[in-house]
């Protein structure tokens, strides 16, 4: 079974020739696609090359600059039934800013294309731009790594990602693009692809599961939902209604104010106001006095006296001082002077 599943190295599907369909088609098929205004200048430049590439396969192509559309149609000479689908993909890629040198590869049998729509995957526009930039990477490094691993050409333009290459590669590209838009960094998928690439080289591992080799990345949800400052705690249900709140008269009856005269009530209110004013004045006075309170001084650390445990030899110091006094600055020692005088006397005797 494993031999049947594997494709022999170097095997290719035989090309579709005129002998396979000598009579051509009964009906004419056509496809049209619109292109943006900024692609008009480029399409004008490369249009002769597009016509030449499609005429080789007997497919007509027309460019309508007024309407802003490209149309491909089959002719009586067209023999390949799938060529019109490839021509449709070619004009779609050209409309999505893919250069002609890359787009023309779609006419080959072993190449396919996939146009992934990413515009509706993220609602917030700023978030969408950030994630799209993450797919491209710094100086296009992430996109280049993805191209090398999947053998596909990838073009990120506006709200779409155009991919061109082998079928297996396109499958991986779609997965990476959709994961990136779901806030999964492309580096995780690139790492997985690199491991798969190395494992595919080993013929023994072809029939085995690769799950044990592939990394398992856990999703960390760092943005926790903000909790409200005031939480409304539901009280326990009781069948009895809540107690009736006390009225102003009830409160006065409880405190005894109800039985006071109007003049007494007024006096009491005045006293309360005065008490409040006295509190406010005292508080203000305390704040003013704070400016006159001196700051705390740092504690002066007293130096410890030199310990008298180590005895000083006074006699030895006196001797040193005496020697120093005898010596003149720049003078020779006494012994050297005596030797010099003796040598001079010997010289004088010899001369005599």
């Amino acid at each position: 079974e494993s031999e049947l599943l594997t494709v022999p190295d170097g095997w290719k599907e035989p090309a579709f020739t005129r002998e396979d369909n000598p009579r051509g088609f009964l009906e004419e098929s056509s496809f049209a696609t619109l292109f943006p205004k900024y692609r008009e200048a480029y399409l004008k430049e490369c249009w002769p090359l597009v016509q030449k590439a499609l005429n080789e396969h007997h497919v007509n192509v027309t460019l309508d600059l007024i309407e802003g559309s490209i149309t491909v149609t089959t002719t009586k000479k067209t023999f390949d039934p799938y060529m019109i689908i490839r021509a449709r993909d070619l004009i779609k890629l050209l409309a999505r800013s893919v250069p002609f040198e890359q787009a023309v590869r779609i006419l080959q049998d072993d190449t396919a294309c996939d146009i992934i729509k990413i515009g509706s995957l993220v609602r917030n526009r700023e978030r969408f731009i950030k994630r799209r930039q993450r797919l491209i990477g710094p100086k296009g490094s992430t996109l280049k790594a993805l191209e090398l691993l999947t053998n596909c050409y990838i073009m990120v333009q506006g709200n779409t990602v155009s991919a061109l290459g082998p079928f297996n590669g396109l499958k991986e590209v779609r997965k990476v693009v959709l994961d990136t838009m779901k806030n999964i960094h492309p580096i995780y998928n690139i790492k997985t692809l690199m491991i798969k690439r190395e494992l595919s080289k080993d013929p023994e591992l072809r029939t085995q599961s690769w799950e044990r080799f592939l990394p398992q990345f856990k999703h960390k949800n760092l943005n926790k939902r903000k909790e409200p400052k005031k939480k409304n705690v539901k009280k326990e249900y009781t069948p009895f209604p809540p107690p009736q709140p006390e009225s102003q008269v009830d409160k006065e009856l409880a405190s005894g104010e109800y039985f006071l005269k109007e003049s007494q009530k007024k006096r009491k209110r005045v006293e309360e106001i005065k008490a409040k004013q006295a509190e406010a004045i005292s508080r203000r006075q305390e704040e003013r006095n704070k400016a006159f309170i001196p700051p705390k001084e740092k504690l002066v650390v007293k130096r410890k006296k030199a310990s008298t445990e180590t005895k000083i030899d006074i006699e030895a110091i006196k001797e040193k001082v005496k020697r120093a006094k005898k010596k003149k600055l720049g003078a020779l020692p006494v012994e050297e002077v005596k030797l010099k005088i003796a040598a001079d006397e010997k010289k004088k005797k010899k001369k005599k």
Side-chain angles (χ1 to χ4, degrees):
E1 285 181 7
S2 61
E3 287 178 7
L4 291 169
L5 289 169
T6 55
V7 178
D9 293 331
W11 182 86
K12 273 190 177 183
E13 195 179 342
F16 196 90
T17 57
R18 185 170 281 282
E19 292 169 8
D20 297 318
N21 184 19
R23 294 183 182 181
F25 304 142
L26 294 170
E27 295 291 331
E28 184 187 90
S29 301
S30 66
F31 289 101
T33 187
L34 299 170
F35 61 87
K37 186 75 176 172
Y38 61 83
R39 289 294 287 168
E40 192 177 308
Y42 180 77
L43 288 169
K44 276 182 186 176
E45 281 180 25
C46 69
W47 195 246
L49 298 169
V50 176
Q51 283 180 319
K52 189 184 176 184
L54 289 173
N55 285 341
E56 285 175 9
H57 299 280
H58 309 289
V59 175
N60 279 342
V61 59
T62 53
L63 176 69
D64 191 347
L65 295 173
I66 297 162
E67 197 181 327
S69 66
I70 311 168
T71 313
V72 285
T73 52
T74 55
T75 59
K76 288 180 181 180
K77 289 182 180 180
T78 311
F79 59 88
D80 189 349
Y82 199 69
M83 190 47 64
I84 187 66
I85 304 296
R86 293 193 179 282
R88 178 202 66 182
D89 290 342
L90 173 66
I91 60 171
K92 271 189 180 181
L93 291 169
L94 288 169
R96 292 312 313 142
S97 297
V98 178
F100 171 75
E101 292 77 15
Q102 294 291 341
V104 79
R105 284 169 51 208
I106 195 68
L107 301 175
Q108 297 168 12
D109 286 336
D110 58 344
T111 311
C113 77
D114 191 6
I115 295 167
I116 308 152
K117 291 177 182 178
I118 57 171
S120 59
L121 296 174
V122 184
R123 285 184 183 180
N124 191 345
R125 187 68 186 167
E126 286 178 8
R127 200 174 291 164
F128 167 74
I129 291 161
K130 276 184 183 177
R131 288 181 190 177
R132 187 179 64 183
Q133 187 57 38
R134 196 182 292 166
L135 180 66
I136 297 162
K139 296 180 182 178
S141 57
T142 309
L143 208 64
K144 191 69 184 171
L146 206 59
E147 284 180 356
L148 291 167
L149 288 165
T150 56
N151 296 321
C152 294
Y153 173 81
I154 305 162
M155 181 74 185
V156 180
Q157 177 69 24
N159 294 336
T160 59
V161 177
S162 307
L164 182 77
F167 295 97
N168 293 338
L170 292 174
K171 190 178 166 186
E172 296 294 344
V173 169
R174 179 170 272 274
K175 184 181 178 295
V176 173
V177 170
L178 294 176
D179 281 355
T180 306
M181 288 295 134
K182 288 174 187 172
N183 203 22
I184 298 166
H185 203 282
I187 197 71
Y188 299 127
N189 285 310
I190 286 167
K191 196 174 183 181
T192 308
L193 286 170
M194 285 169 79
I195 294 163
K196 281 183 180 178
R197 193 181 189 182
E198 292 301 315
L199 291 170
S200 63
K201 290 175 184 176
D202 192 351
E204 291 178 7
L205 294 168
R206 276 188 178 180
T207 54
Q208 294 178 22
S209 177
W210 291 352
E211 287 296 319
R212 58 197 169 141
F213 302 110
L214 300 177
Q216 300 293 327
F217 299 108
K218 289 180 181 178
H219 183 70
K220 290 180 182 178
N221 189 11
L222 298 172
N223 295 334
K224 289 181 180 178
R225 186 177 168 274
K226 288 180 180 178
E227 293 181 356
K229 285 181 180 178
K230 291 179 182 178
K231 287 185 179 179
N232 297 328
V233 181
K234 286 187 177 180
K235 293 174 184 177
E236 290 182 10
Y237 173 75
T238 53
F240 307 105
Q244 195 173 357
E246 288 185 346
S247 66
Q248 191 66 29
V249 176
D250 292 335
K251 286 175 184 176
E252 283 180 3
L253 283 165
S255 62
E257 281 182 38
Y258 186 78
F259 305 104
L260 295 172
K261 291 177 183 178
E262 193 64 38
S263 60
Q264 288 174 324
K265 285 180 184 179
K266 197 173 183 182
R267 200 183 305 124
K268 195 178 180 183
R269 265 186 249 121
V270 169
E271 282 173 7
E272 283 175 5
I273 291 161
K274 281 181 179 178
K276 281 182 182 178
Q277 282 176 348
E279 269 182 44
I281 288 161
S282 63
R283 211 182 301 124
R284 226 174 289 132
Q285 195 63 39
E286 281 174 13
E287 284 178 9
R288 283 175 189 159
N289 291 340
K290 277 179 186 177
F292 300 102
I293 296 165
K296 288 181 180 180
E297 292 181 1
K298 290 179 181 178
L299 293 167
V300 180
V301 181
K302 291 180 179 179
R303 289 182 183 179
K304 290 179 181 179
K305 290 180 180 179
S307 59
T308 54
E309 289 174 9
T310 53
K311 291 179 180 179
I312 300 160
D313 194 356
I314 297 162
E315 295 296 324
I317 292 164
K318 282 179 179 179
E319 282 180 15
K320 277 184 182 178
V321 172
K322 279 179 185 179
R323 282 177 207 158
K325 280 181 179 179
K326 283 177 183 177
K327 285 180 185 178
K328 290 180 181 179
L329 288 169
L332 293 165
V334 178
E335 290 174 2
E336 283 185 21
V337 171
K338 284 178 182 178
L339 288 167
K340 243 188 177 185
I341 292 161
D344 289 339
E345 282 175 1
K346 279 180 183 179
K347 282 179 183 177
K348 284 176 182 177
K349 282 176 183 179
K350 280 179 184 179
K351 283 180 183 178
K352 285 177 181 178

